[in-house]
Amino acid sequence: MRVLTLVLALVLGLPTLPARAEVPRVQTDISPVAALVAQVMGDLGRPGLLLDKGGDEHDMQLRPSQRRDLAAATLLIWVGPELTPGLDQARAAAQVQSLALLDDPRTLRQDYAEGGLNPHAWLDPANAAIWIDLIAACLQALDPDHAATYRANAAAAQARIVTLDAALAAKLAPLKRPFVTYHDAYGYFARHYNLPYRGGLAAGDAAPPGAAQIARLHQDAASGAIRCAFPEAQHDPALIDSLAEGTGLFVGPPLDPVGSMLDPGPDAYDLLLTGLATALLACATADMP
Ligand SMILES: [Zn+2]
């Protein structure tokens, strides 16, 4: 326990971690992280969620009331500055201690094809399992009085991930047609489930593509090197629609990689991944030559 406390003190950037009798007030960045934290906290409390419904993680900016919530929190649990640079500034200003999940050496990390760390790591359920343990260890260190509850909740959360993972693997098995998405967020999900993912039209930070990239995508769509394209909940589908015009590309339902359209709560992680799998499966079942 002493070693764990020291490790956590390093992770959190704290000189010491005083034992607290009260349940920590936790804030989170995005819905899937909030869901994992909510599962680990169980009936002890509910984490706050800072990304607004329909918000874009890469452009996240906090309102004054959210900055006050963050400053009043015991702990911020978030993916890290690579995903939400706007939140990184607010975190530093609020001087709140934090657990950046992507920074932990146990987290499975992946680079974008064009280079640079891809921060959409929650889309690999193996990372969700790793993060449940990190979250539980952190909460136990801050709130040792409830350590047994955090441990039991984490075990139940792990069992949910195992069930979810098996269901998704079976569901996604028929997806063999190569597809692209609006933004380059799905590398983790595609790697874990061995999907024929050909990347995003927009870059990883959702910045729009240039003319040369669009021309190449048109060529790939026309030649059949990509068969399906998926727009995204927070973004205009015009780019995907123009790509599909005259190329026979199947346009699937909008994806929501950050779960920003879901009601927050402990079920949001399962709902996000299941919804993603259901949407992507439209590429496998679409009636096309
Ligand atoms: Zn993103």
Side-chain angles (χ1 to χ4, degrees), residues 26-30 48-53 55 59-73 76 86-87 90-91 93-94 96:
V26 183
Q27 285 289 336
T28 62
D29 52 353
I30 57 171
L49 170 61
L50 293 167
L51 184 66
D52 287 328
K53 204 161 194 176
D59 287 336
M60 185 174 180
Q61 297 296 336
L62 299 194
R63 294 184 299 278
S65 64
Q66 292 176 307
R67 289 177 184 273
R68 286 194 292 276
D69 289 345
L70 186 58
L76 169 67
L87 178 54
R91 177 200 59 82
V96 62

Tab-separated table of all heavy atoms in Angstrom, residues 26-30 48-53 55 59-73 76 86-87 90-91 93-94 96:
chain	number	residue	atom	x	y	z
A	26	VAL	N	-15.149	14.179	-7.760
A	26	VAL	CA	-14.400	13.883	-8.982
A	26	VAL	C	-15.046	14.578	-10.175
A	26	VAL	O	-16.264	14.533	-10.341
A	26	VAL	CB	-14.351	12.358	-9.243
A	26	VAL	CG1	-13.514	12.053	-10.487
A	26	VAL	CG2	-13.794	11.619	-8.035
A	27	GLN	N	-14.219	15.205	-11.000
A	27	GLN	CA	-14.660	15.718	-12.296
A	27	GLN	C	-14.000	14.875	-13.384
A	27	GLN	O	-12.894	14.362	-13.196
A	27	GLN	CB	-14.265	17.194	-12.467
A	27	GLN	CG	-15.116	18.166	-11.667
A	27	GLN	CD	-16.536	18.321	-12.202
A	27	GLN	OE1	-16.811	18.068	-13.391
A	27	GLN	NE2	-17.445	18.730	-11.331
A	28	THR	N	-14.674	14.766	-14.543
A	28	THR	CA	-14.129	14.003	-15.667
A	28	THR	C	-14.259	14.823	-16.942
A	28	THR	O	-15.021	15.787	-16.997
A	28	THR	CB	-14.886	12.667	-15.859
A	28	THR	OG1	-16.254	12.960	-16.157
A	28	THR	CG2	-14.807	11.802	-14.614
A	29	ASP	N	-13.511	14.410	-17.971
A	29	ASP	CA	-13.533	15.142	-19.242
A	29	ASP	C	-14.677	14.707	-20.147
A	29	ASP	O	-15.475	15.510	-20.591
A	29	ASP	CB	-12.170	15.008	-19.952
A	29	ASP	CG	-11.702	13.561	-20.096
A	29	ASP	OD1	-12.339	12.641	-19.551
A	29	ASP	OD2	-10.658	13.342	-20.756
A	30	ILE	N	-14.747	13.401	-20.448
A	30	ILE	CA	-15.688	12.919	-21.470
A	30	ILE	C	-16.546	11.793	-20.917
A	30	ILE	O	-16.193	11.135	-19.927
A	30	ILE	CB	-14.928	12.437	-22.739
A	30	ILE	CG1	-13.910	11.340	-22.386
A	30	ILE	CG2	-14.227	13.613	-23.434
A	30	ILE	CD1	-13.285	10.665	-23.595
A	48	GLY	N	-18.601	14.450	-11.911
A	48	GLY	CA	-19.066	15.467	-12.845
A	48	GLY	C	-18.519	15.178	-14.234
A	48	GLY	O	-17.546	14.449	-14.389
A	49	LEU	N	-19.175	15.739	-15.252
A	49	LEU	CA	-18.758	15.565	-16.640
A	49	LEU	C	-18.644	16.945	-17.270
A	49	LEU	O	-19.614	17.705	-17.263
A	49	LEU	CB	-19.790	14.705	-17.391
A	49	LEU	CG	-19.635	14.627	-18.910
A	49	LEU	CD1	-18.295	14.025	-19.299
A	49	LEU	CD2	-20.790	13.818	-19.505
A	50	LEU	N	-17.465	17.258	-17.819
A	50	LEU	CA	-17.223	18.626	-18.284
A	50	LEU	C	-17.550	18.852	-19.765
A	50	LEU	O	-17.910	19.952	-20.146
A	50	LEU	CB	-15.758	19.013	-18.007
A	50	LEU	CG	-15.435	19.120	-16.507
A	50	LEU	CD1	-13.925	19.187	-16.281
A	50	LEU	CD2	-16.114	20.332	-15.876
A	51	LEU	N	-17.441	17.825	-20.610
A	51	LEU	CA	-17.772	18.032	-22.032
A	51	LEU	C	-19.282	18.111	-22.184
A	51	LEU	O	-20.005	17.199	-21.786
A	51	LEU	CB	-17.211	16.901	-22.902
A	51	LEU	CG	-17.434	17.078	-24.412
A	51	LEU	CD1	-16.654	18.274	-24.953
A	51	LEU	CD2	-17.063	15.825	-25.187
A	52	ASP	N	-19.751	19.187	-22.769
A	52	ASP	CA	-21.189	19.382	-22.962
A	52	ASP	C	-21.755	18.390	-23.963
A	52	ASP	O	-21.039	17.910	-24.846
A	52	ASP	CB	-21.457	20.797	-23.492
A	52	ASP	CG	-21.255	21.855	-22.435
A	52	ASP	OD1	-21.511	21.551	-21.252
A	52	ASP	OD2	-20.846	22.966	-22.790
A	53	LYS	N	-23.054	18.150	-23.855
A	53	LYS	CA	-23.745	17.313	-24.839
A	53	LYS	C	-23.549	17.935	-26.231
A	53	LYS	O	-23.729	19.137	-26.411
A	53	LYS	CB	-25.236	17.241	-24.494
A	53	LYS	CG	-25.903	16.015	-25.040
A	53	LYS	CD	-27.220	15.711	-24.342
A	53	LYS	CE	-27.665	14.305	-24.686
A	53	LYS	NZ	-28.861	13.893	-23.995
A	55	GLY	N	-20.784	18.403	-27.681
A	55	GLY	CA	-19.523	19.142	-27.766
A	55	GLY	C	-18.436	18.335	-28.471
A	55	GLY	O	-18.499	17.117	-28.545
A	59	ASP	N	-12.134	20.810	-29.194
A	59	ASP	CA	-12.367	22.261	-29.057
A	59	ASP	C	-12.909	22.619	-27.678
A	59	ASP	O	-13.446	23.700	-27.490
A	59	ASP	CB	-13.389	22.731	-30.107
A	59	ASP	CG	-12.783	22.768	-31.486
A	59	ASP	OD1	-11.548	22.883	-31.564
A	59	ASP	OD2	-13.539	22.665	-32.463
A	60	MET	N	-12.807	21.715	-26.737
A	60	MET	CA	-13.466	21.886	-25.439
A	60	MET	C	-12.965	23.146	-24.714
A	60	MET	O	-11.770	23.331	-24.517
A	60	MET	CB	-13.148	20.656	-24.602
A	60	MET	CG	-13.828	20.604	-23.280
A	60	MET	SD	-13.420	18.989	-22.565
A	60	MET	CE	-14.298	19.102	-21.037
A	61	GLN	N	-13.914	23.997	-24.327
A	61	GLN	CA	-13.601	25.179	-23.517
A	61	GLN	C	-14.570	25.200	-22.345
A	61	GLN	O	-15.761	24.957	-22.540
A	61	GLN	CB	-13.768	26.460	-24.340
A	61	GLN	CG	-12.820	26.563	-25.540
A	61	GLN	CD	-11.353	26.646	-25.142
A	61	GLN	OE1	-11.029	27.064	-24.027
A	61	GLN	NE2	-10.462	26.230	-26.040
A	62	LEU	N	-14.087	25.486	-21.156
A	62	LEU	CA	-14.961	25.478	-19.984
A	62	LEU	C	-15.633	26.837	-19.782
A	62	LEU	O	-15.014	27.883	-19.990
A	62	LEU	CB	-14.169	25.130	-18.721
A	62	LEU	CG	-13.480	23.772	-18.685
A	62	LEU	CD1	-13.058	23.455	-17.257
A	62	LEU	CD2	-14.360	22.664	-19.220
A	63	ARG	N	-16.898	26.788	-19.382
A	63	ARG	CA	-17.599	28.012	-18.968
A	63	ARG	C	-17.132	28.379	-17.557
A	63	ARG	O	-16.584	27.530	-16.829
A	63	ARG	CB	-19.113	27.766	-18.945
A	63	ARG	CG	-19.730	27.510	-20.315
A	63	ARG	CD	-21.236	27.381	-20.197
A	63	ARG	NE	-21.649	26.283	-19.343
A	63	ARG	CZ	-21.720	25.018	-19.726
A	63	ARG	NH1	-21.412	24.693	-20.964
A	63	ARG	NH2	-22.099	24.087	-18.890
A	64	PRO	N	-17.376	29.639	-17.134
A	64	PRO	CA	-16.959	30.037	-15.774
A	64	PRO	C	-17.509	29.108	-14.685
A	64	PRO	O	-16.785	28.776	-13.735
A	64	PRO	CB	-17.529	31.453	-15.639
A	64	PRO	CG	-17.571	31.971	-17.052
A	64	PRO	CD	-17.887	30.785	-17.917
A	65	SER	N	-18.769	28.658	-14.832
A	65	SER	CA	-19.344	27.776	-13.797
A	65	SER	C	-18.607	26.431	-13.768
A	65	SER	O	-18.405	25.837	-12.707
A	65	SER	CB	-20.835	27.560	-14.054
A	65	SER	OG	-21.017	26.870	-15.275
A	66	GLN	N	-18.175	25.957	-14.937
A	66	GLN	CA	-17.433	24.689	-14.987
A	66	GLN	C	-16.029	24.856	-14.401
A	66	GLN	O	-15.504	23.937	-13.774
A	66	GLN	CB	-17.334	24.198	-16.430
A	66	GLN	CG	-18.671	23.772	-17.014
A	66	GLN	CD	-18.537	23.386	-18.469
A	66	GLN	OE1	-18.018	24.158	-19.282
A	66	GLN	NE2	-19.002	22.201	-18.817
A	67	ARG	N	-15.462	26.036	-14.608
A	67	ARG	CA	-14.139	26.304	-14.004
A	67	ARG	C	-14.248	26.283	-12.480
A	67	ARG	O	-13.354	25.795	-11.787
A	67	ARG	CB	-13.597	27.656	-14.484
A	67	ARG	CG	-13.174	27.629	-15.934
A	67	ARG	CD	-12.707	28.998	-16.420
A	67	ARG	NE	-12.400	28.939	-17.837
A	67	ARG	CZ	-11.216	28.587	-18.335
A	67	ARG	NH1	-10.217	28.305	-17.525
A	67	ARG	NH2	-11.028	28.532	-19.630
A	68	ARG	N	-15.365	26.817	-11.971
A	68	ARG	CA	-15.564	26.801	-10.514
A	68	ARG	C	-15.763	25.355	-10.028
A	68	ARG	O	-15.216	24.961	-8.990
A	68	ARG	CB	-16.777	27.674	-10.125
A	68	ARG	CG	-16.480	29.168	-10.220
A	68	ARG	CD	-17.559	29.982	-9.522
A	68	ARG	NE	-18.855	29.916	-10.210
A	68	ARG	CZ	-19.183	30.716	-11.249
A	68	ARG	NH1	-18.332	31.608	-11.708
A	68	ARG	NH2	-20.369	30.605	-11.812
A	69	ASP	N	-16.534	24.560	-10.782
A	69	ASP	CA	-16.722	23.144	-10.414
A	69	ASP	C	-15.373	22.424	-10.375
A	69	ASP	O	-15.115	21.605	-9.485
A	69	ASP	CB	-17.621	22.434	-11.434
A	69	ASP	CG	-19.071	22.892	-11.345
A	69	ASP	OD1	-19.425	23.529	-10.327
A	69	ASP	OD2	-19.833	22.626	-12.292
A	70	LEU	N	-14.533	22.729	-11.347
A	70	LEU	CA	-13.223	22.071	-11.429
A	70	LEU	C	-12.346	22.475	-10.241
A	70	LEU	O	-11.678	21.631	-9.631
A	70	LEU	CB	-12.555	22.436	-12.760
A	70	LEU	CG	-11.246	21.726	-13.098
A	70	LEU	CD1	-11.438	20.214	-13.124
A	70	LEU	CD2	-10.711	22.203	-14.446
A	71	ALA	N	-12.384	23.771	-9.903
A	71	ALA	CA	-11.564	24.250	-8.780
A	71	ALA	C	-12.048	23.655	-7.452
A	71	ALA	O	-11.248	23.480	-6.523
A	71	ALA	CB	-11.611	25.777	-8.724
A	72	ALA	N	-13.338	23.325	-7.371
A	72	ALA	CA	-13.897	22.769	-6.135
A	72	ALA	C	-13.735	21.247	-6.056
A	72	ALA	O	-14.047	20.638	-5.038
A	72	ALA	CB	-15.382	23.137	-6.036
A	73	ALA	N	-13.241	20.634	-7.138
A	73	ALA	CA	-13.117	19.169	-7.171
A	73	ALA	C	-11.900	18.705	-6.376
A	73	ALA	O	-10.909	19.432	-6.242
A	73	ALA	CB	-13.016	18.699	-8.619
A	76	LEU	N	-9.420	15.526	-10.814
A	76	LEU	CA	-9.861	15.438	-12.216
A	76	LEU	C	-9.337	14.123	-12.788
A	76	LEU	O	-8.128	13.872	-12.750
A	76	LEU	CB	-9.301	16.612	-13.024
A	76	LEU	CG	-9.469	16.516	-14.547
A	76	LEU	CD1	-10.936	16.615	-14.957
A	76	LEU	CD2	-8.640	17.598	-15.261
A	86	GLY	N	-7.897	22.438	-24.273
A	86	GLY	CA	-8.610	23.505	-23.565
A	86	GLY	C	-8.775	23.183	-22.093
A	86	GLY	O	-8.670	24.055	-21.221
A	87	LEU	N	-9.036	21.914	-21.797
A	87	LEU	CA	-9.192	21.496	-20.406
A	87	LEU	C	-7.849	21.520	-19.677
A	87	LEU	O	-7.795	21.754	-18.462
A	87	LEU	CB	-9.816	20.096	-20.355
A	87	LEU	CG	-10.020	19.479	-18.968
A	87	LEU	CD1	-10.825	20.402	-18.056
A	87	LEU	CD2	-10.710	18.123	-19.090
A	90	ALA	N	-7.426	24.914	-18.235
A	90	ALA	CA	-8.332	25.126	-17.098
A	90	ALA	C	-7.854	24.337	-15.877
A	90	ALA	O	-7.937	24.813	-14.736
A	90	ALA	CB	-9.749	24.703	-17.484
A	91	ARG	N	-7.329	23.145	-16.118
A	91	ARG	CA	-6.821	22.303	-15.022
A	91	ARG	C	-5.648	22.989	-14.319
A	91	ARG	O	-5.579	23.037	-13.091
A	91	ARG	CB	-6.378	20.947	-15.580
A	91	ARG	CG	-5.753	19.997	-14.576
A	91	ARG	CD	-4.915	18.927	-15.267
A	91	ARG	NE	-3.842	19.496	-16.060
A	91	ARG	CZ	-2.668	19.893	-15.575
A	91	ARG	NH1	-2.395	19.755	-14.295
A	91	ARG	NH2	-1.756	20.416	-16.375
A	93	ALA	N	-5.008	26.165	-14.272
A	93	ALA	CA	-5.487	27.369	-13.582
A	93	ALA	C	-6.206	27.000	-12.281
A	93	ALA	O	-6.098	27.713	-11.279
A	93	ALA	CB	-6.416	28.166	-14.494
A	94	ALA	N	-6.935	25.883	-12.291
A	94	ALA	CA	-7.713	25.477	-11.111
A	94	ALA	C	-6.836	24.804	-10.056
A	94	ALA	O	-7.259	24.611	-8.918
A	94	ALA	CB	-8.831	24.522	-11.528
A	96	VAL	N	-6.055	21.803	-9.662
A	96	VAL	CA	-6.683	20.586	-9.146
A	96	VAL	C	-5.759	19.392	-9.441
A	96	VAL	O	-5.093	19.361	-10.481
A	96	VAL	CB	-8.087	20.393	-9.781
A	96	VAL	CG1	-8.012	20.227	-11.293
A	96	VAL	CG2	-8.835	19.239	-9.150
